[in-house]
Amino acid sequence: MAIHLEIPDAVAQAMRLPAGEQERRVLVELAVTLYAQSILSFGKSRQLSGLSNFEFGMALGRRGIPRHYTEEELKDDLEYAGCQ
């Protein structure tokens, strides 16, 4: 299942972005917003944005959005790294 969004021409024209950059930027902004609201995980938000893990992390940082990182994720990471 895919969701297709339709942005009215008047709204698209009002964006102060080159036409070729609009879709990518809208997807990044949507992904960042959904992540910030805990609607999507980091991985799924990154996938939606089309950015690499590093690039998506940087996009969050530029907007002052903290990473959601639970104690369980820390435990898993430490175990994976062989620290426990």
Side-chain angles (χ1 to χ4, degrees):
M1 178 180 129
I3 297 174
H4 299 277
L5 300 176
E6 186 172 317
I7 297 175
D9 287 338
V11 173
Q13 291 169 0
M15 289 183 203
R16 295 183 183 108
L17 298 168
E21 198 176 316
Q22 288 177 342
E23 183 176 346
R24 184 186 66 78
R25 288 283 301 273
V26 168
L27 286 173
V28 169
E29 295 305 323
L30 177 60
V32 165
T33 299
L34 293 175
Y35 178 79
Q37 294 178 15
S38 299
I39 295 171
L40 281 180
S41 68
F42 182 90
K44 292 300 180 186
S45 296
R46 187 218 51 83
Q47 184 179 1
L48 175 63
S49 73
L51 299 175
S52 70
N53 284 344
F54 178 78
E55 291 167 329
F56 190 69
M58 293 298 291
L60 295 176
R62 283 191 298 273
R63 292 163 177 81
I65 298 169
R67 288 279 308 263
H68 308 159
Y69 198 72
T70 65
E71 287 186 36
E72 185 66 29
E73 290 171 313
L74 174 60
K75 180 183 169 204
D76 291 345
D77 286 347
L78 290 172
E79 286 178 14
Y80 179 77
C83 298
Q84 287 188 339

